[in-house]
Amino acid sequence: GQQLNQSPQSMFIQEGEDVSMNCTSSSIFNTWLWYKQEPGEGPVLLIALYKAGELTSNGRLTAQFGITRKDSFLNISASIPSDVGIYFCAGQLRGSARQLTFGSGTQLTVLP
Amino acid sequence: GAGVSQSPSNKVTEKGKDVELRCDPISGHTALYWYRQSLGQGLEFLIYFQGNSAPDKSGLPSDRFSAERTGGSVSTLTIQRTQQEDSAVYLCASSFKSSGETQYFGPGTRLLVL
């Protein structure tokens, strides 16, 4: 099936640092989404991107929909302890497919 | 308003038994999805319902897996003759419609097959 390559797999950063993670694919996506998942919970939507080149912010989070429609990145500025969790990118393919294709996740640890 | 709810939150079963997992989508959402998340992995699509249309079952891993959606609302995912490799978190999501609409996830059901 379709795959999204998400990197890095894990990150250990100091509180206050900025974080960047990205996803790439060989397929073209209509929509890119970024979710955060905390232990014992389902993924929670952070940012949704619907147009190639779109740059969207949500507080300290910024995400971009790559111009080729095959990649996206998420930046977190001035990280805080509650940013800890697993961040997933997800894409919705062009065409009739409705389900999301997920990356394998980036485990973020913020050290005080 | 209420989000997507799933029950049970945890299920432990013996190999070979059948299990039923329930999902209550957000009221008014016509699209409903089931995903499976194995330990340390991303989410794997299982099945998708949209209104009264025939479901997209393309992600179901075997014929032991089936799902129903009654009255366009509540959905039940059934796994027959469970195997140890079925152990995972089963997540349900719903959206207002399908294409381009944000999917909202429930907390998941953690299934452990002994």
Side-chain angles (χ1 to χ4, degrees):
Chain A
Q2 300 297 331
Q3 285 193 344
L4 289 182
N5 300 308
Q6 184 170 351
S7 64
Q9 273 191 324
S10 63
M11 299 183 73
F12 291 81
I13 62 170
Q14 295 288 334
E15 183 177 355
E17 288 184 350
D18 297 344
V19 173
S20 184
M21 58 194 79
N22 70 85
C23 279
T24 61
S25 173
S26 57
S27 300
I28 292 174
F29 287 90
N30 265 351
T31 303
W32 281 95
L33 305 166
W34 284 91
Y35 286 87
K36 179 186 178 186
Q37 187 175 29
E38 298 186 19
E41 303 291 330
V44 174
L45 181 70
L46 299 175
I47 292 181
L49 302 158
Y50 299 107
K51 291 168 57 177
E54 180 180 357
L55 183 71
T56 297
S57 293
N58 177 8
R60 294 177 297 105
L61 277 60
T62 301
Q64 184 157 32
F65 191 146
I67 196 71
T68 64
R69 309 180 78 94
K70 295 182 179 180
D71 63 296
S72 177
F73 72 75
L74 174 71
N75 287 342
I76 305 173
S77 63
S79 59
I80 60 178
S82 60
D83 291 334
V84 166
I86 304 177
Y87 292 79
F88 290 99
C89 62
Q92 191 172 49
L93 288 166
R94 272 183 166 177
S96 60
R98 297 293 179 258
Q99 68 270 23
L100 295 176
T101 301
F102 280 81
S104 55
T106 296
Q107 171 73 62
L108 178 64
T109 302
V110 180
L111 305 172
Chain B
V4 177
S5 61
Q6 293 186 244
S7 61
S9 53
N10 293 281
K11 177 72 177 179
V12 181
T13 190
E14 293 180 346
K15 177 182 172 181
K17 295 284 181 68
D18 297 351
V19 294
E20 283 190 354
L21 313 179
R22 177 188 169 103
C23 171
D24 283 89
I26 293 172
S27 178
H29 280 193
T30 59
L32 187 148
Y33 308 77
W34 284 97
Y35 293 85
R36 177 170 71 175
Q37 185 177 29
S38 300
L39 187 63
Q41 300 296 315
L43 282 68
E44 171 193 5
F45 167 75
L46 297 177
I47 188 169
Y48 153 71
F49 296 89
Q50 170 57 46
N52 296 320
S53 303
D56 176 355
K57 305 179 182 180
S58 60
L60 294 179
S62 78
D63 59 7
R64 295 186 296 103
F65 287 72
S66 62
E68 291 184 340
R69 189 178 185 193
T70 54
S73 180
V74 172
S75 176
T76 302
L77 177 69
T78 301
I79 308 174
Q80 295 178 309
R81 306 180 301 282
T82 52
Q83 303 294 313
Q84 289 181 332
E85 61 262 30
D86 298 335
S87 297
V89 178
Y90 290 82
L91 290 154
C92 175
S94 70
S95 66
F96 181 61
K97 46 185 182 182
S98 57
S99 179
E101 290 292 327
T102 301
Q103 296 179 25
Y104 294 89
F105 284 82
T109 293
R110 280 143 198 83
L111 175 66
L112 178 60
V113 181
L114 300 176

